[in-house]
Amino acid sequence: MNHTPEYEQHLEHTHELLRCALATAYASADNLQGLNRDVALAVVHLIQQARTAVDRLLA
């Protein structure tokens, strides 16, 4: 499949957005306890999965 440079730019931008979201969610989890921390770490996991999917598209 051929991807345009614009497509690649969008994927790279999405990758950076996910990196920022991951850092934010992880930092938030550090300041929480109990169920709230578990929920924040679940968000970390979901973001990591999305980032892995974008990584595969960029490869």
Side-chain angles (χ1 to χ4, degrees), residues 29-58:
D30 280 347
N31 296 315
L32 298 172
Q33 295 178 5
L35 182 60
N36 289 333
R37 186 171 194 280
D38 293 344
V39 170
L41 289 175
V43 171
V44 167
H45 178 70
L46 293 171
I47 294 168
Q48 287 173 328
Q49 287 184 321
R51 193 169 173 204
T52 298
V54 171
D55 285 342
R56 287 182 185 148
L57 291 172
L58 285 170

Side-chain angles (χ1 to χ4, degrees), residues 7-23:
Y7 177 83
E8 296 284 334
Q9 287 176 340
H10 285 299
L11 280 178
E12 289 174 13
H13 181 69
T14 300
H15 188 270
E16 286 303 304
L17 289 173
L18 289 169
R19 183 184 64 79
C20 293
L22 184 62

